[in-house]
Amino acid sequence: MSKKEFKRESKEKKPVLAICYDFDKTLSPDDMQAQGYIQSVGYDVGDFWTESNELAENNEMDQNLAYMYKMVQEAEGNLIFKKKTLEDYGAKVNLFPGVGDWFERICEYGTDHGVIVEHYIISSGLKEMIEGTSVARKGAFKKIYASSFYYDPRTGVAKWPAQVVNYTNKTQFLFRIEKGILDINDQGVNDSFAPEEMRVPFRNMVYIGDSDTDIPCMKLVNSYGGHSIGVYNAATNDKSKVYKMMHDGRIKYYAPADYSEGTQLDNLVKSIINRTAANEALEEFFYQCKKENFEADKQNSEEGRKKTDLLIALEGSGNFATTHSTIKELNSFKNWTPDEKELLFKIAVENSQVFYVLGDLDVKLFYQNVLMDTQNYSENAKKVKVEIEK
């Protein structure tokens, strides 16, 4: 078992809004592999994907593993397949309008409105290529969850898939973000957390995607009160996918994939930040009330247990000292239920030791107070009243 100590994110004093993005056709107009790499190994883009998908179908293989295998296979004789190679191709990936300054600008808007904004990538694309993009190099992303390779420590050449992210397992990363347990090998993600302990509750998550592969994440975020946004390429104005996702209840909003300031998407995300600030102020007040109520319930339960112990002590009292010391402690309680009062009267009548000292000042005053707001006198109550009024 690994002895590695994982770094975990702690809950912040300010609310955290996590914006999670697919990459291909969400932040970039095309698949990242189709923007230089596929061409460099002598393939037509369409033919590459056709053969990759056939490889998956013919071998009951995950489609992402199939394209990763094919990338390595076709690199032979054409290029040395290293991490740096993929990062260099990533640097050439085109981004939608406004993406270049989007992440920093949205974080600043969040800061101005009392919300910490964090950006996450959850993609079936390649982590190494995403890390090579200009925005990733500037530190835009809190964490990049994407498919990646293991590299031979001697040669630096890719040897095996290290991580494969597909549409069915994307949702696990949302739970990691929720709890602040970001390392993919940290099993603490399975630990139970109270709702108020969640670092990023689902209501404070935004998922931005473009297609069916994003649906599980969108559905999960939606079902817990978060915000899912479908984006489409403004250049083609093809809204067929976002229309379908909207019709099927997968997304709450859709907008062109233009991240420039003042655009529909920009205004939408800023509105979500504004709503998060207001909503979390209410949530904080709710948890304060809940905590106070819990402490009151806890105190009441402790009070009830102490009352019970003292009533038992009074009922079994066999000497003056015990009776007087118990009455002294009972005097600290001001509120008595009808059942508790009746038990006090019953003890006074049936325990001769208690009945004998009903005329003593401390005992007399205690029972006078108990009788004071009693509505209907029982037989025992009447006997106590007569005795203390002698």
Side-chain angles (χ1 to χ4, degrees), residues 309-322:
D309 291 342
L310 290 172
L311 288 169
I312 291 170
L314 186 64
E315 187 175 28
S317 176
N319 58 65
F320 297 146
T322 300

Side-chain angles (χ1 to χ4, degrees), residues 15 19 61 135 160 181 218 223 239 246 254 269:
I19 307 179
M61 191 175 184
V135 287
W160 199 262
I181 300 175
M218 289 173 164
S223 64
K239 300 182 182 180
M246 186 64 132
Y254 59 82
V269 171

Side-chain angles (χ1 to χ4, degrees), residues 289-303:
C289 292
K290 185 178 177 182
K291 182 179 180 181
E292 183 178 327
N293 180 248
F294 174 78
E295 292 298 327
D297 286 345
K298 182 180 177 183
Q299 183 177 352
N300 288 338
S301 62
E302 290 176 353
E303 180 180 286

Side-chain angles (χ1 to χ4, degrees), residues 9-16 116 118 142 198-199:
E9 301 297 319
S10 57
K11 185 175 173 64
E12 304 285 349
K13 292 182 179 179
K14 294 181 179 180
V16 178
I116 300 169
E118 296 176 347
K142 177 79 172 179
M198 296 298 184
R199 184 174 184 271

Side-chain angles (χ1 to χ4, degrees), residues 13-25:
K13 292 182 179 179
K14 294 181 179 180
V16 178
L17 181 72
I19 307 179
C20 308
Y21 309 81
D22 180 36
F23 193 91
D24 295 336
K25 300 175 184 175

Side-chain angles (χ1 to χ4, degrees), residues 52-305:
S52 175
N53 290 335
E54 287 177 352
L55 176 66
E57 291 172 9
N58 295 337
N59 295 278
E60 295 186 351
M61 191 175 184
D62 182 277
Q63 287 189 345
N64 296 287
L65 283 170
Y67 90 66
M68 293 172 76
Y69 173 80
K70 191 159 184 64
M71 286 182 73
V72 173
Q73 183 186 50
E74 299 304 330
E76 294 179 5
N78 290 302
L79 53 87
I80 300 174
F81 200 88
K82 292 186 174 183
K83 184 176 182 180
K84 178 68 165 56
T85 307
L86 293 175
E87 289 176 345
D88 289 343
Y89 280 109
K92 301 172 185 177
V93 168
N94 293 319
L95 301 171
F96 276 123
V99 169
D101 67 351
W102 163 264
F103 306 100
E104 184 178 0
R105 185 160 45 79
I106 291 299
C107 285
E108 288 177 357
Y109 186 88
T111 299
D112 291 342
H113 290 77
V115 176
I116 300 169
V117 177
E118 296 176 347
H119 304 282
Y120 296 84
I121 294 291
I122 304 178
S123 170
S124 297
L126 287 174
K127 183 179 181 182
E128 295 88 339
M129 293 185 75
I130 297 170
E131 288 175 336
T133 62
S134 57
V135 287
R137 288 180 183 275
K138 289 192 293 186
F141 307 117
K142 177 79 172 179
K143 189 77 174 178
I144 298 172
Y145 294 113
S147 300
S148 62
F149 288 97
Y150 164 74
Y151 299 89
D152 189 309
R154 296 169 299 167
T155 64
V157 176
K159 299 295 292 183
W160 199 262
Q163 180 70 233
V164 179
V165 176
N166 57 41
Y167 71 97
T168 56
N169 70 12
K170 277 185 173 184
T171 56
Q172 67 167 299
F173 305 113
L174 296 178
F175 289 104
R176 290 195 175 280
I177 294 167
E178 178 191 36
K179 297 178 178 181
I181 300 175
L182 302 183
D183 192 294
I184 60 170
N185 289 309
D186 190 342
Q187 297 300 308
V189 71
N190 298 314
D191 294 348
S192 177
F193 284 62
E196 59 268 30
E197 294 174 343
M198 296 298 184
R199 184 174 184 271
V200 188
F202 275 98
R203 65 178 179 271
N204 291 351
M205 287 190 192
V206 180
Y207 189 92
I208 302 178
D210 70 286
S211 66
D212 292 349
T213 60
D214 301 307
I215 283 176
C217 284
M218 289 173 164
K219 183 179 179 181
L220 181 62
V221 169
N222 270 357
S223 64
Y224 286 98
H227 312 273
S228 55
I229 303 171
V231 292
Y232 61 90
N233 193 329
T236 63
N237 203 37
D238 181 3
K239 300 182 182 180
S240 57
K241 289 183 178 179
V242 293
Y243 281 161
K244 184 178 187 303
M245 289 190 289
M246 186 64 132
H247 179 269
D248 294 341
R250 308 307 192 187
I251 56 176
K252 286 186 176 180
Y253 321 98
Y254 59 82
D258 186 343
Y259 296 79
S260 305
E261 189 165 9
T263 60
Q264 191 176 57
L265 183 59
D266 180 68
N267 291 331
L268 173 58
V269 171
K270 287 176 179 176
S271 294
I272 291 172
I273 292 172
N274 295 340
R275 179 174 174 177
T276 299
N279 188 61
E280 289 309 297
L282 291 174
E283 287 294 323
E284 178 63 24
F285 184 60
F286 163 68
Y287 284 123
Q288 287 177 4
C289 292
K290 185 178 177 182
K291 182 179 180 181
E292 183 178 327
N293 180 248
F294 174 78
E295 292 298 327
D297 286 345
K298 182 180 177 183
Q299 183 177 352
N300 288 338
S301 62
E302 290 176 353
E303 180 180 286
R305 286 193 294 271

